[in-house]
Amino acid sequence: MRRRKAEELFFKILMLIAAIIVCGSFFLIVGTIFAKGLPYMNLDMLTKTPGGGFYIGKEGGILNAIIGSLYVAGGATILGLLISIPVAIFINMYMNGKKFLSDSLRVAFDVLFGIPSIVYGAFGFLIMVYFGFRASLLGGIIAVTLLVIPILVRTLDEVIGTVPLELRDAALSLGATRWEMAKVVLRQIRPGIFTAILLSFGRAIGDVASVLFTAGFSDNIPTSLHEPAATLPLAIFFQLSSPVEEVQGRGYASALILTIIVLVITVLSEILIKKFSKHKS
Amino acid sequence: MTKTPHISVQHLNVHIGNQHILNDININIPDKKVTSIIGPSGCGKTTLLRSFNRLLDNTPGVSITGKVLVDGEDIYDPKAEVTHIRKKMGLLSQRPYPLPMSIYDNVAYGPRIHGIRKKQELDQLVEEQLKATGLWNEVKDRLNASATRLSIGQQQRLCLARGLAVSPEIILGDESTSALDPVSTSIIEDLFISLKEKYSIVLVTHILRQARRVSDYIVFVYGGKIIEFGPTEDVLLNPKEELTREYVKGYIS
Ligand SMILES: Nc1ncnc2c1ncn2[C@@H]1O[C@H](COP(=O)(O)OP(=O)(O)OP(=O)(O)O)[C@@H](O)[C@H]1O
Ligand SMILES: [Mg+2]
C-alpha cells in the first residue's frame, strides 16, 4: 500500500517537473526575445526597408523581409493547397478498392514529410539551375511549396478520414457524382482545412534552409516573381551573425516580429475554425 | 402480388475479399408496399440493401454478380448511369447524417445538383418535403439555421425530406429508427406507412414489432441466403421454415 502511494507521488512529481520545464522554456524563449528585441523595436523596423548602413547599425527596418516572408509563405501555402486538396481527395475518394495504391501514396507522403528542408532547398535550387532561373521570389515559393505539400496532404488526409462514410453515402444516394460528394466532404472539413493552412504557413514562414539558395536576399521589396526576396528567418540569421551589437539587437527585434506574425495567424485561424465549425455536429 | 415487382433481384452473389456474403439471392420487391428485411446480425441485410442503389460498389474488395432489375432495367449493366439509379432511391441510414449546411440547403441539395436553380421552385420543393415529413411547423422559422442544431429525431426526418426532394421511387431504410427515442420512432414508422402510397419501401430492421407494424412483406435472411419471403403475417406468425421459426420464436410467444 505504502509502495503504491509512493509510486503515485513519484510520478506526479515527475509530471509536474516535465510540465514546468515545457512551460518554463516557452516563457524563457518568448521572454528572451522580448527582452532583447523590444529595446530595438520601433516603427521604422516595421515600415522601412534597410537604409544606408543598416548592417552597421544605422537607420531603416526590415519591411523587405516581412513582405518577402509573407509572399513566400502565403504563395507556397496557396500553391500547396491547390495541389494537396486534389491529392487528398484522390487518395480518399477515387482510389477506394485499391488499398495498396492509396497506402503506398500515404507512405510516400510520410517519407516526404520527414525529409529535412535543406533537401527541398537543394532540390528547388537544382530545378532553378536547370531552367536557368536566378534566386528569386518564385524560386523560394517553389521550394517552400515542395516543403509544405506533405504537411498539407497529411493533415487533409487525416481530417478527411474523420468524415463519416455515411455522409458520403448520403450525398451519393441523392445522385451526387463523386466530385459533388467530394465538395460536401470539403465543406464538412473546412475547419480542418484552416488547421492545415495554419500548420503549413507556420512551417513555411519559419524555415530558413529551403529559402537559403532559392529566394536569395535583397534589401528591396520584390516587385516581381523573378526578383530575389528577403525572408525573415534569413534576415534574423544575418543580423545575429553581425559583430555589431545594435544589429544583433535588431535580429532579436526581427525574431519578435516573426513570433508575433505566427501568433496572430494562430489566433486568426482559431477564430476562423470556430466560425466554420457551425455546421459540425 | 399481382403488380410487376419494383425491384427484381436475380441470382445476386456478393463476395467481399474471399468471403461469400450474399449467396444466390432471388427476390421480387413489390411495388408501393413496405418490405422489411429481417435476420440476425451479420447475415447480410445491409449488404443486400446497399446492392439496390449500388452503394455496395464502393466497398473495397467487393465483387458482385447477378442482376438487379429496377423498373425492368439492370442497374449493374455497365451502360447504366449510376447517379441516375441512385436518384431513384432515397436512403435513410441508421443515424441521421445531415449535410454540413442549413436546413433549407439540406433539402435543396439534391434538386440543385440535378439542375433545379429557380429559387421559387426550390422554395416550393423544400416546403413540400418538410411538410411531407411533418417538420415544416417545427423549422419554418429557422430554415437557415444549421441542420445539426435539430434534435436527432428531427434530423432523421430532415434526412428523409432530403431524400424525397429528388423525387425517388423507392425508399431504403437501414435500421432507420435505431438511434431514435420512442416518439420519434413512431413518427418515422407512421411516415413509412403513409409514404407507401407513392413509394416502394424497403426497410432493414431488428425490431420484429416494427416489422409487423409497418410492413406488408417480410424477407428473412440468414447466413447470406434468403430463407423465407412472404406477407408479414405469414412469416411472423406462421413461418414455413425451421430457421425462421427459431428467429421469430421470441416474437410469437
Ligand atoms: N466492408 C466490408 N468488408 C468486409 N466484410 C464486410 C464488409 N461489410 C460487411 N462485411 C461482412 O458481410 C457480412 C454481412 O454484413 P452486413 O453489414 O450486411 O450484415 P447485417 O445483416 O446488416 O448486420 P447488422 O444487423 O449487424 O447490421 C458480415 O459478415 C460482415 O462481416
Ligand atoms: Mg446492417
Side-chain angles (χ1 to χ4, degrees):
Chain A
M1 219 37 221
R2 289 259 302 276
R3 232 199 82 228
R4 289 178 58 200
K5 278 223 167 108
E7 208 175 57
E8 167 95 11
L9 189 70
F10 176 74
F11 281 104
K12 250 189 185 163
I13 292 174
L14 211 65
M15 285 184 272
L16 197 70
I17 293 174
I20 289 173
I21 291 176
V22 171
C23 292
S25 46
F26 173 76
F27 283 111
L28 205 67
I29 292 169
V30 175
T32 310
I33 294 173
F34 262 90
K36 291 200 148 190
L38 217 49
Y40 294 91
M41 196 62 168
N42 52 44
L43 207 58
D44 279 4
M45 280 293 281
L46 294 172
T47 56
K48 290 198 173 141
T49 54
F54 177 76
Y55 296 104
I56 47 168
K58 295 253 178 64
E59 70 276 3
I62 53 152
L63 184 64
N64 58 328
I66 297 175
I67 302 281
S69 265
L70 291 179
Y71 279 170
V72 169
T77 301
I78 292 170
L79 210 59
L81 271 180
L82 290 179
I83 297 169
S84 315
I85 289 180
V87 169
I89 288 179
F90 186 74
I91 294 179
N92 279 284
M93 293 173 219
Y94 284 81
M95 295 180 75
N96 49 8
K98 301 178 201 89
K99 209 168 155 20
F100 177 76
L101 260 171
S102 52
D103 282 352
S104 315
L105 262 175
R106 288 194 172 101
V107 172
F109 279 103
D110 279 356
V111 172
L112 288 177
F113 184 76
I115 289 178
S117 58
I118 186 78
V119 177
Y120 287 104
F123 183 68
F125 184 63
L126 275 180
I127 297 180
M128 282 163 45
V129 170
Y130 183 81
F131 286 107
F133 291 176
R134 300 285 210 98
S136 63
L137 181 57
L138 183 64
I141 290 179
I142 291 174
V144 178
T145 303
L146 295 176
L147 175 74
V148 296
I149 283 176
I151 304 175
L152 287 167
V153 171
R154 262 176 63 134
T155 316
L156 291 173
D157 185 40
E158 218 154 278
V159 288
I160 291 177
T162 65
V163 176
L165 285 177
E166 287 88 344
L167 187 71
R168 300 191 200 174
D169 287 351
L172 288 178
S173 65
L174 292 168
T177 60
R178 267 205 255 198
W179 170 238
E180 283 159 344
M181 167 194 78
K183 282 197 288 192
V184 170
V185 171
L186 284 179
R187 243 182 125 118
Q188 176 87 358
I189 63 161
R190 264 203 290 205
I193 295 179
F194 279 106
T195 313
I197 291 176
L198 161 74
L199 282 174
S200 150
F201 197 90
R203 179 84 201 272
I205 205 166
D207 196 73
V208 197
S210 55
V211 288
L212 191 58
F213 309 119
T214 52
F217 202 85
S218 157
D219 280 353
N220 302 317
I221 295 169
T223 51
S224 90
L225 283 170
H226 301 290
E227 282 172 34
T231 44
L232 275 169
L234 219 48
I236 296 168
F237 173 73
F238 289 145
Q239 288 165 341
L240 288 182
S241 4
S242 160
V244 183
E245 198 186 322
E246 199 184 336
V247 179
Q248 280 183 20
R250 288 183 166 193
Y252 284 104
S254 308
L256 185 57
I257 293 169
L258 181 55
T259 311
I260 289 173
I261 291 178
V262 173
L263 218 71
V264 166
I265 286 166
T266 312
V267 172
L268 260 183
S269 62
E270 285 297 321
I271 294 170
L272 287 175
I273 288 171
K274 286 248 163 61
K275 187 167 159 353
F276 284 108
S277 299
K278 73 170 190 209
H279 284 305
K280 265 198 125 171
S281 36
Chain B
M1 257 183 283
T2 44
K3 281 197 234 166
T4 49
H6 205 157
I7 305 177
S8 175
V9 183
Q10 298 171 2
H11 302 295
L12 180 73
N13 278 283
V14 174
H15 293 257
I16 299 177
N18 48 19
Q19 266 183 292
H20 200 167
I21 309 287
L22 291 180
N23 193 339
D24 194 35
I25 301 288
N26 292 285
I27 190 175
N28 289 323
I29 305 281
D31 191 32
K32 306 240 172 11
K33 300 278 182 219
V34 180
T35 306
S36 288
I37 305 174
I38 61 170
S41 189
C43 69
K45 304 181 294 294
T46 298
T47 311
L48 180 59
L49 197 74
R50 290 166 68 85
S51 76
F52 294 164
N53 66 353
R54 290 193 50 180
L55 275 181
L56 191 58
D57 297 20
N58 294 341
T59 308
V62 74
S63 75
I64 306 161
T65 60
K67 278 185 180 166
V68 176
L69 306 179
V70 175
D71 299 324
E73 280 174 69
D74 182 13
I75 62 168
Y76 285 98
D77 187 314
K79 284 197 286 286
E81 183 89 47
V82 68
T83 54
H84 179 71
I85 293 160
R86 291 193 181 127
K87 183 174 173 290
K88 277 191 182 177
M89 297 181 224
L91 176 73
L92 204 55
S93 55
Q94 201 157 358
R95 284 190 41 210
Y97 288 91
L99 304 174
M101 37 187 100
S102 70
I103 296 172
Y104 181 97
D105 289 338
N106 259 273
V107 185
Y109 178 81
R112 278 193 183 126
I113 61 173
H114 294 294
I116 298 181
R117 294 259 167 253
K118 280 209 211 86
K119 182 159 172 2
Q120 205 184 352
E121 208 172 330
L122 287 170
D123 285 352
Q124 198 193 334
L125 253 170
V126 169
E127 181 172 341
E128 191 183 320
Q129 296 315 337
L130 287 175
K131 277 181 175 158
T133 50
L135 212 52
W136 179 249
N137 284 326
E138 291 160 56
V139 303
K140 65 169 185 275
D141 301 320
R142 47 177 174 147
L143 290 175
N144 289 318
S146 175
T148 49
R149 288 285 156 74
L150 299 172
S151 75
I152 299 292
Q154 288 172 325
Q155 285 184 22
Q156 192 65 309
R157 279 186 282 154
L158 179 68
C159 289
L160 185 57
R162 175 181 75 190
L164 296 181
V166 296
S167 12
E169 302 168 4
I170 299 165
I171 297 169
L172 307 174
D174 192 352
E175 296 179 47
S176 310
T177 61
S178 62
L180 307 185
D181 62 285
V183 176
S184 305
T185 298
S186 74
I187 295 177
I188 296 273
E189 287 177 355
D190 290 341
L191 277 171
F192 284 144
I193 295 171
S194 67
L195 288 171
K196 74 176 175 186
E197 300 236 329
K198 284 159 72 185
Y199 308 89
S200 307
I201 302 176
V202 187
L203 305 174
V204 168
T205 180
H206 276 293
I207 312 163
L208 295 181
R209 238 162 10 96
Q210 181 173 71
R212 171 84 188 269
R213 197 162 106 73
V214 302
S215 49
D216 304 295
Y217 294 92
I218 287 187
V219 189
F220 176 63
V221 180
Y222 188 91
K225 290 186 185 141
I226 290 185
I227 305 297
E228 193 161 345
F229 172 53
T232 300
E233 307 272 309
D234 293 4
V235 176
L236 284 184
L237 302 178
N238 199 4
K240 290 192 196 66
E241 301 292 329
E242 185 56 38
L243 280 167
T244 321
R245 196 167 307 138
E246 274 296 307
Y247 186 75
V248 303
K249 195 165 62 185
Y251 179 73
I252 300 171
S253 59

